[in-house]
Amino acid sequence: MGRGGCFADCYDAAMLGAITLLLVFQLIGEALVLLVGLPVPGAVVGMGFLFVALVLRGEAPAWLRNTCQELLSHLSLLFVPAGVGVMLHFKRLGAEWLPIAVALVASTVITIAVAALVMKWLRR
Amino acid sequence: MSGKFTEIWVYLSATPLLGLTVTLLAYQAAFWLYRKAGMHPLANPVAISVSVLVALLWFTDTPYATYFEGAQFVHFLLGPATVALAVPLYANLDTLKKNLLPLGGALLAGSLTAAVSAVGIGWLLGASRETLLSLAPKSVTTPIAMGVAEKLGGLPSLTAVLVVSTGILGAVLARGTLNLLRIDDHAVRGFAVGVAAHGIGTARAFQVSETMGAFAGLAMGLNGLATAFLFPLLAGVLRGA
């Protein structure tokens, strides 16, 4: 049930199905986290379950791949509302701007460097 | 005329429609600018749209809570998007199996470096305890980081801001850092960006190349899993200290 040779409503139904599937997996994850008291967000458990389901099934169907690709290609948009929350913390950021700024910039550069060098070294 | 305008504004600013619409408009305008700038890392679309929206809310005297009533619909999608990461993760199953040691090593080293260096530097420069605990999970994607910050005793909403800032910084600084280290393998470049700068870094990586994006997505997903499971364990150690 791919995109090619398919009417518009067929593709829409595929997208609807994929979004429903993602929500069902998230819901299972959230429920399990509450039930067992896991220290992990429900969506992460949902991701784990979907991953296992795909491994067991042996392939990721095209309709699921298309929707996930679409959703993930707009990933940076999804961070905007949380980013605007910066306005709630102007006071703290004003008081602690130096440690926060240095920690963020230095730690980000160091992390990129360490991860890249370790991976390059272990790949030899 | 202006009385009527005020009336309409008062009505609309209280509905979720406005917050949601301005978020989408600001992001698309920012993305258009980013394209115009030849996808230069400094023209990061998240940074631009957040600045525009903060200025807008500031000038119209709109509280964040009112804005978020509309923006929450976008924010909500972070959950299904996290689940959706299973798909690129599965698509890279073969690579994952063949490179278990290099990927696992880079993941552990990067994940620990991100938390330890941020908390260590913040502590040396005198940041408060709450800020330090909010800084620890800053390299993983927002929903995971906010959950972890809550477990650690930090401020989830501050963590969200630090996560987004980290992502923007990673997207901006990755090219220079990796060029300086003479790392030109796109698999390694992508993985490093994904470990350090989660979804915003991954979005940037996908714009550079498919391979870089796939490895960044892989790193983001694995780092999310590792952090969600490892940090609450480390939290006990942190609390003891």
Side-chain angles (χ1 to χ4, degrees):
Chain A
M1 206 175 22
R3 230 164 161 165
C6 191
F7 291 112
D9 48 320
C10 160
Y11 176 63
D12 281 350
M15 194 174 96
L16 195 61
I19 287 181
T20 310
L21 189 79
L22 293 178
L23 290 176
V24 165
F25 272 95
Q26 190 184 351
L27 197 63
I28 294 173
E30 302 282 358
L32 197 79
V33 164
L34 287 174
L35 207 67
V36 187
L38 287 173
V40 186
V44 178
V45 178
M47 168 173 80
F49 277 140
L50 180 57
F51 180 74
V52 172
L54 291 174
V55 172
L56 292 177
R57 197 175 185 274
E59 59 138 11
W63 53 269
L64 182 63
R65 281 204 312 267
N66 290 337
T67 302
C68 288
Q69 203 171 23
E70 185 77 10
L71 187 61
L72 292 174
S73 69
H74 299 300
L75 196 59
S76 47
L77 161 69
L78 311 186
F79 292 93
V80 172
V84 178
V86 70
M87 58 191 289
L88 294 176
H89 297 286
F90 278 152
K91 212 173 146 194
R92 180 183 293 266
L93 295 174
E96 300 185 51
W97 69 271
L98 185 73
I100 292 178
V102 177
L104 286 183
V105 173
S107 161
T108 304
V109 171
I110 296 170
T111 305
I112 292 174
V114 167
L117 290 175
V118 168
M119 183 167 162
K120 193 181 170 187
W121 180 69
L122 287 175
R123 262 189 140 192
R124 277 190 189 156
Chain B
M1 190 65 191
S2 84
K4 189 85 186 155
F5 180 79
T6 313
E7 210 174 284
I8 293 173
W9 168 254
V10 167
Y11 175 74
L12 281 182
S13 62
T15 68
L17 178 65
L18 196 66
L20 179 60
T21 312
V22 290
T23 304
L24 293 177
L25 283 175
Y27 183 77
Q28 283 174 83
F31 205 85
W32 179 84
L33 262 174
Y34 177 55
R35 279 234 169 111
K36 275 273 162 195
M39 301 219 171
H40 193 279
L42 277 178
N44 185 277
V46 182
I48 296 173
S49 32
V50 167
S51 317
V52 168
L53 288 166
V54 167
L56 187 74
L57 296 180
W58 184 272
F59 281 121
T60 57
D61 213 12
T62 310
Y64 178 67
T66 309
Y67 160 76
F68 196 75
E69 267 170 43
Q72 63 174 324
F73 300 111
V74 172
H75 183 77
F76 172 81
L77 289 175
L78 278 169
T82 304
V83 179
L85 285 175
V87 172
L89 213 57
Y90 174 74
N92 289 292
L93 190 62
D94 281 339
T95 325
L96 196 66
K97 277 185 189 159
K98 272 184 216 139
N99 294 285
L100 221 48
L101 183 68
L103 293 177
L107 171 69
L108 265 181
S111 190
L112 285 175
T113 304
V116 171
S117 64
V119 173
I121 294 168
W123 181 75
L124 280 176
L125 294 174
S128 67
R129 190 186 150 81
E130 274 176 327
T131 302
L132 291 178
L133 291 173
S134 309
L135 264 173
K138 58 143 184 88
S139 279
V140 291
T141 189
T142 315
I144 301 176
M146 288 174 82
V148 170
E150 205 168 0
K151 302 273 178 219
L152 294 178
L155 305 167
S157 67
L158 178 62
T159 295
V161 171
L162 299 174
V163 166
V164 175
S165 312
T166 301
I168 295 169
L169 284 169
V172 172
L173 298 170
R175 185 156 72 184
T177 309
L178 293 165
N179 285 351
L180 205 69
L181 294 171
R182 293 172 198 283
I183 285 164
D184 30 47
D185 185 339
H186 274 208
V188 178
R189 288 179 77 107
F191 198 82
V193 174
V195 167
H198 58 86
I200 301 177
T202 301
R204 165 81 193 155
F206 266 117
Q207 287 147 14
V208 178
S209 83
E210 190 76 27
T211 313
M212 196 170 158
F215 274 85
L218 182 69
M220 164 172 65
L222 291 175
N223 197 15
L225 276 173
T227 304
F229 282 101
L230 283 178
F231 277 40
L233 292 176
L234 284 174
V237 183
L238 266 170
R239 279 215 192 86

